[in-house]
Amino acid sequence: MNVSIVGATGYGGLELIRFLGNHPHLEIASLHTSSQFGRNIYEENAHLMHMDYKLEEIDAEAIAKKSDIVFLATPSGVSSKLISEFCDLNIKVIDLSGDLRLQTPGEYAQWYKKEPAPQHIIEKAVYGLAEWNKEQIEQADIIANPGCYPTATLLGLAPLFTEGWATGEDVIVDAKSGVSGAGKSPTAVTHYSEMNENFKIYKVNQHQHIPEVEQQLGRWFADTKPITFNTHLVPMTRGIMATMYVKVNRQTTKAELRDLFETVYANHPFVRIQPLGQFPSTKQVYGSNFCDIGVDYDERTGRVTIVSVIDNLVKGAAGQAIQNANILMGLKETAGLWSAPLYP
Amino acid sequence: MNVSIVGATGYGGLELIRFLGNHPHLEIASLHTSSQFGRNIYEENAHLMHMDYKLEEIDAEAIAKKSDIVFLATPSGVSSKLISEFCDLNIKVIDLSGDLRLQTPGEYAQWYKKEPAPQHIIEKAVYGLAEWNKEQIEQADIIANPGCYPTATLLGLAPLFTEGWATGEDVIVDAKSGVSGAGKSPTAVTHYSEMNENFKIYKVNQHQHIPEVEQQLGRWFADTKPITFNTHLVPMTRGIMATMYVKVNRQTTKAELRDLFETVYANHPFVRIQPLGQFPSTKQVYGSNFCDIGVDYDERTGRVTIVSVIDNLVKGAAGQAIQNANILMGLKETAGLWSAPLYP
Amino acid sequence: MNVSIVGATGYGGLELIRFLGNHPHLEIASLHTSSQFGRNIYEENAHLMHMDYKLEEIDAEAIAKKSDIVFLATPSGVSSKLISEFCDLNIKVIDLSGDLRLQTPGEYAQWYKKEPAPQHIIEKAVYGLAEWNKEQIEQADIIANPGCYPTATLLGLAPLFTEGWATGEDVIVDAKSGVSGAGKSPTAVTHYSEMNENFKIYKVNQHQHIPEVEQQLGRWFADTKPITFNTHLVPMTRGIMATMYVKVNRQTTKAELRDLFETVYANHPFVRIQPLGQFPSTKQVYGSNFCDIGVDYDERTGRVTIVSVIDNLVKGAAGQAIQNANILMGLKETAGLWSAPLYP
Amino acid sequence: MNVSIVGATGYGGLELIRFLGNHPHLEIASLHTSSQFGRNIYEENAHLMHMDYKLEEIDAEAIAKKSDIVFLATPSGVSSKLISEFCDLNIKVIDLSGDLRLQTPGEYAQWYKKEPAPQHIIEKAVYGLAEWNKEQIEQADIIANPGCYPTATLLGLAPLFTEGWATGEDVIVDAKSGVSGAGKSPTAVTHYSEMNENFKIYKVNQHQHIPEVEQQLGRWFADTKPITFNTHLVPMTRGIMATMYVKVNRQTTKAELRDLFETVYANHPFVRIQPLGQFPSTKQVYGSNFCDIGVDYDERTGRVTIVSVIDNLVKGAAGQAIQNANILMGLKETAGLWSAPLYP
């Protein structure tokens, strides 16, 4: 089966190329960018010097002829414009940006400060949280691949919200991300000398992933109240940790809580629940599609602590996109993705 | 005035030496360690090659003859043993460890898993949170210098707890620290290849600084409930950020909230309240004694967000210890400490 | 085909496990350590939680029954002792340590300050510089896998020394390595707070890889004089760059020089000669088995500059070991190793 | 005495502000930039929130009225234009850029690819290598403050070149710098995700500091041939190490060599010669004006190894500029600069 990538030279696109290079069933048919036509992918990306793909213009019809799936690995505000062209063609679309995730009219404009995609297309898009939405994904024409923070957060909160433990209130998510989440364009914030040996908070109480998380929590548990959600930049390239503090509707124990998570994710190979008393570090999923989760019940406060880590560019972007492609194509969910994290 | 340092070769001790080297009124009389006697400080610490101090044994009487103040910059479990010897001598003691901070019998043993100092000595120790305890510090013979996390946390929470905004419930502190807080001894956790490009959570819901924070909050607001408090290691050497989520007993606005903080700290030069809508990064206090605080009120959730940053080795250890020494000696609070952060 | 790993929990062993997990023909039969028997590999290595291998004692006979190849991924001074046991058994040995590399009696003791392996075994060991020693490797029973610095250095110098450009004099190698080269055991040098934001030189003019490089250069060009060779630690986990300054026996041009390298390595997929005027960074080979080389001729001084980068744990250790295993087993040289570097 | 800074918001300017904030005799009269007029220095530089200086336009006459010295902390290509205005006014100029360093007509244009300052002004500029040029500096009207690499390199090579050990040939300088040397403007090279966990070589054999080093070497030893000089970027913010390999005109010993250096720098407090067998790391001078040097003689090759480290922003820029200002004003050379490095 053939796939094309639009936005091939961004960090999401490059990760797709890395994984597809070893995929047993999906083959790269073409790479596309909005500039740099005619150059070879390795000319700007020296690490890919062993590969040989010419960068092409974005021509939806040509892409649809070559490929079964197109990945849109473009920044927010781009696929909202591109999506219409692909919609009527015989090709599946997996969009890695935030443009097709928010179903409620007005929310995208409010949080992204950009013009939304056509509402009728947004409504066709299936939210690609692979562990939780498999049946819908199998049938989808368009998949809105989840954001990096929402993936870590939702996989961590899901057992409470789907198994009847949630109160819907008092959900606090304190999330931390490596800098690659900010993308490939140099900025003052991501300038090495500013970011190195520094820890920053940003978009305080205003991150555009807030409504994405709340939307999915609301699907699982209708009476979900607004959550507290903040994001920080860690002086490292890859990795997200979401540390979550939640009140649940019962007294419990550390062991019972862990059992819940273990049971819920028993058949999901990419989610690895940590042993009792252990908590994941971001590096243990580095470069891989795993989401590792540790849980604790604090008897002093009655609060549950959930610690969820992913590689933001893999499970939080390209890896989950390929996982969705696998589901879509009826392949084994782990195809091309079952490799150990890079360590150390 | 003369000072001596016990535990001179640890990170806290080395920071004391750095600041005292430029202090206009306090002079280093002697440096002491539990080993390495007879060696010169620079032999193990190449950065101090321009200095010349022999490392001496720990002899309380000899120290008291030479110095007006002794800094105990030793790990937990050491000053609890040393303190008695200094107690009857004519010397002020500033203890940088956690050994003299917890006043409630049993708490130290419970959280530190070590034998406490004699209770009658603990009761003489004044908690050296310099901005909030100045009058007691001026009169103290023994100062329990606050922990790094408690300093960042308490300076951030103080305005709410002292000005009648606190409910005493729903205080969540998500704290992050550079690795130097773990001290100078190599461990698997702090091995470079393990810690670099990694973000870790540790001592989940069990950090020994929890009772220290709760004790001080309880002094400010008696009906304070157990807090949720977690700590993480950031791949950087210095810096702490405490991100705090608190429910207050009123509706407010971002501006009113900021005004509260600005007013409370108006006469405290080391606390710099950020402009409305701005939040501090750890690097902006690097190597300095500042505590920078930014605040937000989230209308969606009704929660206050407080972001407090310090350099863990300065305001969180040696810097505050010198600030306390200044207060104790009737010097200007900023003497020897008024230098700009290192940037970038 | 089955393989076993002795020293499975060190960084070299863990990298072997990572690559073998995706190898199409080689399968892990057993993992061995000198301690931790009975524990599972993931218990100490959380990143491998999706795997399931019990750690076993080192029993040469049992290993030889199970496996076609054993990788000795132990520190220097261990395989010199283990090797005899494996020697008479029907199993190929690939030793990742420095114990079997130096053929001249006395050199090992002089540079490693340890007791050497039996000389008759050392003489059986083939130096596994895969691109240059393929025919001997195919026939070998024991392979001495090259050191990390020698791999980067020798692949960079080989074209000059094998194609008649060398003078044998004036070879200066200034090498820089990520910290993982120092292994997994915590030390003062590799303590995070000491190594972070620091650049160090070590073992000045005394690194044990010097005789290994000179031995191979001498095979290529008999009249090779002692080289200048120094090593530095870079505050990063992975990657080696060897910057080399060499006088050659002719005047040349940048283009002619590059052509030489391009031609010599034309059929070696893991060596990627950079375009004229481009030089590699360590990150462009991160996690991969590539060695990327850039060259320059400085008309002002008449010196050639060669810049060679590898991932010290892959091409400099586990990756080249698997490459050697592939050659030994008659497999495609790239089997299990043909994956793109992790970027960014 | 009053000083002004032009280019106050760059990294060099900010370091000047940091040191001048604690200088006993020099006071900041005004700060100037080419943009941002009217804003306060702390508005763009949160770490300076305890300070209060308005950013002003660059008006040479106004500056000369207020100040005894003006520091030009602007990028190359700026002070070449500004310098004429200051030249006829009653003010000393210390230029931190490379614009006034190269005395040979044509060299600046060749290496910097920019238009040079007027030649008659360049000829008035004294090269401010403080340890070696003190008498000229005392009399100077214009000081060309040395580059960061040349400072580390020349302080390391000086004893050989001034004491008759040099041959003038076979000087190889392999230099490594933290990223702050690249300045404050974000670029693709200094983007965090590209530079982190990466080690890069750049401007191979073409760095603009080459002629600056050669010019000074030529003053010390007329028959100096072109040197080999290369520069690398280390994933850290501050610090330069120059590793130098030199042939000398005699056989020597490690001890004799070290004695030479010790003697030459006996009266220079900022140069700290390491004990025999020890070599400096960049971190041991972090944030300070020290230059630490270690030396070795390699009997195997007859080459001398010199390892010289500085903080590129201090001894390599702002610190040396203030040292020059001290000399110029007849102050103690160490005034305002005598503080311990930040460690760890």
Side-chain angles (χ1 to χ4, degrees), chain C residues 245-272:
Chain C
Y245 307 102
V246 191
K247 285 221 165 133
V248 292
N249 59 17
R250 69 196 66 187
Q251 281 201 303
T252 184
T253 64
K254 295 173 198 288
E256 188 188 27
L257 181 69
R258 190 194 168 277
D259 283 349
L260 171 70
F261 277 71
E262 181 72 21
T263 306
V264 165
Y265 285 115
N267 297 314
H268 294 285
F270 288 123
V271 181
R272 306 187 299 190

Side-chain angles (χ1 to χ4, degrees), chain C residues 170 172 174 176 193-194 196-199 205 214 232 237 243 245 282-283 286 296 300 303 343, chain D residues 170 172 174 176 193-194 196-199 205 214 232 237 243 245 282-283 286 296 300 303 343:
Chain C
D170 286 310
I172 286 150
D174 190 279
K176 301 92 177 170
S193 299
E194 303 289 324
N196 181 44
E197 196 65 3
N198 201 354
F199 184 85
N205 295 318
E214 291 181 348
H232 306 73
T237 301
T243 315
Y245 307 102
T282 59
K283 198 163 186 161
Y286 208 85
D296 190 53
R300 297 176 67 252
R303 272 201 188 82
Y343 198 92
Chain D
D170 285 310
I172 287 150
D174 190 278
K176 302 90 178 172
S193 300
E194 303 289 324
N196 181 45
E197 197 64 4
N198 201 356
F199 185 85
N205 295 318
E214 291 178 348
H232 306 75
T237 302
T243 315
Y245 307 103
T282 59
K283 199 164 186 162
Y286 208 87
D296 189 53
R300 297 175 67 252
R303 270 202 189 81
Y343 197 91

Side-chain angles (χ1 to χ4, degrees), chain B residues 217-254:
Chain B
L217 293 180
R219 286 171 186 155
W220 287 331
F221 183 80
D223 193 24
T224 294
K225 300 285 186 301
I227 63 169
T228 293
F229 181 94
N230 271 301
T231 52
H232 306 74
L233 280 183
V234 184
M236 62 185 191
T237 301
R238 286 168 179 252
I240 279 180
M241 179 183 286
T243 316
M244 296 174 268
Y245 307 102
V246 191
K247 286 222 166 131
V248 290
N249 59 17
R250 69 196 67 188
Q251 280 202 303
T252 183
T253 65
K254 294 172 198 290

Side-chain angles (χ1 to χ4, degrees), chain A residues 101 111-112 147-150 206-214 229:
Chain A
R101 295 180 199 145
W111 289 88
Y112 284 79
C148 50
Y149 288 120
Q206 295 178 355
H207 199 286
Q208 70 275 11
H209 286 167
I210 293 174
E212 181 180 339
V213 172
E214 291 178 347
F229 180 95

Side-chain angles (χ1 to χ4, degrees), chain A residues 281-297:
Chain A
S281 300
T282 59
K283 199 165 184 160
Q284 70 185 55
V285 297
Y286 207 85
S288 81
N289 202 48
F290 293 108
C291 174
D292 285 3
I293 299 174
V295 293
D296 189 54
Y297 179 69

Side-chain angles (χ1 to χ4, degrees), chain A residues 196-199 235, chain B residues 11-12 14-16 18-19 47 176-181 234-241 281-289 310-315 318-319 342, chain C residues 192-193 196-197, chain D residues 283 286 340-344:
Chain A
N196 182 44
E197 197 65 5
N198 202 355
F199 185 85
Chain B
Y11 289 154
L14 292 171
E15 273 302 75
L16 286 168
R18 179 169 75 93
F19 280 107
H47 69 290
K176 302 90 177 173
S177 175
V179 182
S180 62
V234 184
M236 62 185 191
T237 301
R238 286 168 179 252
I240 279 180
M241 179 183 286
S281 300
T282 60
K283 198 164 187 160
Q284 71 185 54
V285 297
Y286 207 86
S288 82
N289 201 48
I310 59 169
D311 183 318
N312 55 305
L313 295 178
V314 187
K315 185 65 176 167
L342 196 75
Chain C
Y192 185 85
S193 299
N196 181 44
E197 196 65 3
Chain D
K283 199 164 186 162
Y286 208 87
L342 196 74
Y343 197 91

Side-chain angles (χ1 to χ4, degrees), chain C residues 204-262:
Chain C
V204 175
N205 295 318
Q206 295 178 355
H207 199 284
Q208 71 275 13
H209 286 167
I210 292 174
E212 181 179 339
V213 172
E214 291 181 348
Q215 170 178 276
Q216 183 59 37
L217 292 179
R219 286 172 185 154
W220 287 330
F221 183 79
D223 194 23
T224 295
K225 300 286 185 300
I227 63 169
T228 294
F229 180 95
N230 271 300
T231 51
H232 306 73
L233 281 183
V234 184
M236 63 185 190
T237 301
R238 288 169 177 250
I240 278 180
M241 179 183 287
T243 315
M244 296 174 268
Y245 307 102
V246 191
K247 285 221 165 133
V248 292
N249 59 17
R250 69 196 66 187
Q251 281 201 303
T252 184
T253 64
K254 295 173 198 288
E256 188 188 27
L257 181 69
R258 190 194 168 277
D259 283 349
L260 171 70
F261 277 71
E262 181 72 21

